[in-house]
Amino acid sequence: MAFPVDLRRCQTIGLAGTASLALGGETAGALPVRELLAPASARAALGLVGVYFGVVLLIAAWALLGRVVRGPEPPTPRALLLVLAVWAAPLLLAPPLFSRDVYSYLAQGAMVEAHIDVYAHGPSRLGGPLAAEVAPIWRHTGAPYGPVFLAVASALSGLTRGELPAGVLGMRIVALAGVALMAAALPRLARHSGADPAAALWLGALNPLVLLHLVAGAHNDAMMLGLLGVGLVAALGRWPVLGAVLVTLAALVKAPAALGLAAVVVLQVRTGRRPVRAVVTTAVAATLTTVAATAAAGTGYGWTGALDTPVSPRNWALTSILGRVTRALLEHLGSDLAPLAVPAWHALGIGAAVAAILVIWLRLRPRPVYALGLSLAAVAALGPAIRPWYALWGLFLIAAAAPSTSVRDRMAAVTGVLALSVLPSGGPADTGQLLLAVSGGALAVVVLWQAQQAALAPALERTA
């Protein structure tokens, strides 16, 4: 007999999950340096168990909600947005989770505020408490972000005056605004693509990766995806120029969103505009927006070299893994080509991504939203660096335009795996931490099983 589910039960289980995440993060999250605990300490261990207890509860609540969405009486988009707000609420004041990137954002904003070239220097040039919070591997690395995001980070730096709690809260509010734009765009994009708006919201906005990484991690990918989504919505209507402007602003947060300009062109052509005119209009709008945004931010054009930002040696992107394996093999053979292995695989990955994008657009040009989602997924999968939240680049738009339930199911399976793949501190895991994480997840499974038995008991008694 299946576990009885309804919207309220899903909301309650998910809220318990994010509340546990927030509480566990107080001792096991990506805490400020002065608050860091030794991983082996009892409080840190208990926090890690609590975080993974919460992650599994959240994944379970989301999976059960998927059953409700597919049921005979699916919830309205408004009801799903309320669930999203309830799930996100405990994370608003939680410490950063699963990554220390928010500290890099704050340091880079302070650098812009201090008129330090963020593309030529890393946060170490800033010095002081903020620079100390940045992960060591990125302290000497220039910013890989565009002028729009850096302008926001600089404004936030001015408002918070370098105060760390206020800065983290400010970045989380910016991320929440991005998630709100994503949620606003999804139903409209789904209707245009002939998809179910409720299913699109379930997969694209209530997704655990959104809550764990865009909200709890305060990643600027939320800002990029929010602007990209509303830009595409504008391009669907009578405002193609506004659409091009918004998509360009998204690309000036993070570069992959620039692929959205192709979708803006195709959407214009589908409404009857001539292809040449659509290309010229989009190109002019994108160019003027880029010039204006860069001038307003005052950061210069160093962002054009952002794609050259070094890749973490521990990165587990497919091409990086293959590069490291090839390098080890060549070193074992005594070959002088060993140092070229990783760059060669990265180049192959970029070439494969370009080829995949061309094939996708040739085959799916009549479905630009879906084509864009698949293209961004290819960029994330074949690029030289990947983190779990990068999966949201493509998943967000695939959710809006997925042609079948099976596509959503595959995306949901990817979500479940990636949601469990990073420790709340954002650092590498040792054996002890992995055991604690597994213990927390197993405890959540036991609690869910007990809840199922309690819920099914009355029905079993009646049938007996």
Side-chain angles (χ1 to χ4, degrees):
M1 188 176 292
F3 186 69
V5 294
D6 55 38
L7 192 66
R8 185 177 295 275
R9 188 185 298 269
C10 296
Q11 181 173 289
T12 302
I13 295 172
L15 176 60
T18 55
S20 181
L21 271 166
L23 288 173
E26 293 293 336
T27 56
L31 304 173
V33 172
R34 64 179 180 274
E35 298 178 20
L36 282 176
L37 300 173
S41 71
R43 290 177 60 202
L46 184 60
L48 183 54
V49 170
V51 167
Y52 268 82
F53 177 82
V55 169
V56 171
L57 284 185
L58 178 60
I59 293 172
W62 180 67
L64 292 171
L65 182 60
R67 286 172 48 188
V68 176
V69 168
R70 294 181 188 178
E73 297 182 6
T76 64
R78 179 174 295 182
L80 289 175
L81 291 176
L82 177 60
V83 173
L84 176 60
V86 169
W87 286 0
L91 301 174
L92 181 61
L93 298 178
L97 289 166
F98 306 106
S99 169
R100 300 189 68 82
D101 283 3
V102 67
Y103 301 121
S104 294
Y105 302 161
L106 295 172
Q108 289 156 359
M111 290 172 70
V112 174
E113 184 76 5
H115 304 289
I116 299 172
D117 188 345
V118 292
Y119 299 117
H121 306 287
S124 61
R125 184 66 174 262
L126 177 71
L130 273 180
E133 302 296 343
V134 179
I137 192 171
W138 304 124
R139 286 178 192 165
H140 305 282
T141 303
Y145 311 119
V148 168
F149 175 70
L150 291 174
V152 171
S154 175
L156 190 58
S157 175
L159 286 172
T160 60
R161 298 182 179 180
E163 293 293 328
L164 202 56
V168 171
L169 177 61
M171 278 296 172
R172 185 163 280 141
I173 290 172
V174 170
L176 283 169
V179 171
L181 291 177
M182 292 168 62
L186 276 167
R188 293 168 175 81
L189 294 174
R191 293 187 188 99
H192 166 81
S193 303
D196 178 13
L201 275 172
W202 170 76
L203 181 59
L206 287 99
N207 193 294
L209 294 178
V210 171
L211 290 154
L212 299 179
H213 297 296
L214 300 192
V215 178
H219 283 285
N220 58 8
D221 301 71
M223 187 178 178
M224 176 189 80
L225 292 174
L227 289 169
L228 177 61
V230 295
L232 293 175
V233 169
L236 292 175
R238 300 179 181 179
W239 306 283
V241 173
L242 176 60
V245 169
L246 290 169
V247 170
T248 303
L249 292 176
L252 295 176
V253 174
K254 294 189 82 167
L259 288 172
L261 293 172
V264 172
V265 170
V266 174
L267 288 170
Q268 291 181 68
V269 173
R270 289 186 62 186
T271 60
R273 182 166 292 192
R274 293 181 178 179
V276 173
R277 184 182 177 188
V279 171
V280 171
T281 300
T282 302
V284 170
T287 300
L288 293 177
T289 302
T290 299
V291 171
T294 304
T299 57
Y301 286 86
W303 55 267
T304 57
L307 295 180
D308 291 333
T309 299
V311 176
S312 167
R314 295 191 302 268
N315 195 278
W316 42 275
L318 175 62
T319 54
S320 293
I321 293 172
L322 291 172
R324 291 196 294 269
V325 170
T326 304
R327 182 180 60 195
L329 178 61
L330 291 173
E331 287 174 347
H332 179 72
L333 296 174
S335 173
D336 294 335
L337 297 176
L340 301 176
V342 173
W345 274 107
H346 286 170
L348 284 172
I350 292 170
V354 171
I357 290 168
L358 291 174
V359 171
I360 288 167
W361 281 96
L362 286 172
R363 294 189 61 183
L364 296 174
R365 187 172 57 185
R367 306 186 61 192
V369 175
Y370 190 46
L372 178 57
L374 291 176
S375 298
L376 288 168
V379 170
L382 296 171
I386 190 169
R387 299 294 286 165
W389 52 93
Y390 289 10
L392 290 169
W393 298 353
L395 192 151
F396 167 57
L397 296 175
I398 292 172
S404 66
T405 300
S406 63
V407 172
R408 293 193 187 93
D409 288 342
R410 287 194 288 270
M411 293 296 100
V414 170
T415 292
V417 172
L418 292 178
L420 296 167
S421 63
V422 183
L423 288 182
S425 66
D430 58 32
T431 303
Q433 290 172 313
L434 287 175
L435 288 174
L436 289 168
V438 170
S439 299
L443 179 61
V445 171
V446 170
V447 169
L448 288 168
W449 184 80
Q450 292 285 356
Q452 180 189 27
Q453 298 306 303
L456 293 177
L460 293 173
E461 289 175 359
R462 286 194 298 270
T463 57

